[in-house]
Amino acid sequence: NHATTHYTVGQVFEGTDSSGRWAAWKYVQFLDAVVYIRGQIMTWANAAGTAVTNDRVGGTDIGSTQPAGIGSAIYTQNYYGFMKVSGYALVIGDGAVAAGESVVPHTVDGQMDTMGAGEENLVFGVALQADDIANDPLATSAMSLVQLKGLL
């Protein structure tokens, strides 16, 4: 959570996550005033691919429902940080996602939903477990481990 840039905005970094699996993160700016928390799905907030939002209702979301990445921490509005764009991520759901389902951004700020007919182009991953509060290390949100795809 950086007030000023520490890296090139839009740059992708690769490495291993806390589970030892390969992953990639993108350094971006987090716009809009909705509170950011880890596990939220982000959508694009500018055409340059350097700013994102979790605010689907009243934000600067330019892609409407085009997924950009998963928030990996708590961010302050207009600050900079990393979102996960490849690998596995715990993602906040609506409590109705089942294991094995393809997932897309929900109409609710920051949440994922099960893919519906005609939403194939919005899929950002496959839920490896049903979204449940028991999957959240902080026990605050229904979450599912998702294998990410198509975000790079």
Side-chain angles (χ1 to χ4, degrees):
N1 196 27
H2 307 137
T4 60
T5 59
H6 285 68
Y7 306 97
T8 302
V9 181
Q11 185 174 356
V12 174
F13 295 83
E14 306 179 32
T16 53
D17 64 16
S18 60
S19 298
R21 297 177 290 218
W22 181 88
W25 297 264
K26 190 171 190 176
Y27 191 70
V28 294
Q29 185 178 26
F30 295 88
L31 300 182
D32 303 321
V34 174
V35 175
Y36 285 97
I37 58 175
R38 89 278 175 265
Q40 288 182 322
I41 179 70
M42 305 295 156
T43 55
W44 293 113
N46 70 4
T50 57
V52 296
T53 182
N54 63 354
D55 189 351
R56 295 289 313 284
V57 179
T60 54
D61 177 65
I62 63 158
S64 181
T65 55
Q66 290 297 324
I70 309 302
S72 44
I74 296 172
Y75 303 104
T76 305
Q77 177 184 1
N78 297 324
Y79 275 43
Y80 300 86
F82 293 95
M83 65 176 180
K84 200 167 209 182
V85 293
S86 189
Y88 297 85
L90 276 174
V91 183
I92 297 172
D94 62 358
V97 175
E101 292 184 323
S102 294
V103 290
V104 299
H106 199 295
T107 55
V108 175
D109 293 339
Q111 289 186 3
M112 70 174 168
D113 195 8
T114 302
M115 179 193 77
E119 293 183 320
E120 293 82 2
N121 62 317
L122 304 176
V123 171
F124 67 85
V126 175
L128 301 179
Q129 54 194 180
D131 59 341
D132 190 294
I133 224 167
N135 298 328
D136 181 357
L138 302 177
T140 58
S141 303
M143 299 184 93
S144 173
L145 184 64
V146 173
Q147 182 178 8
L148 302 176
K149 64 181 213 169
L151 297 175
L152 280 179

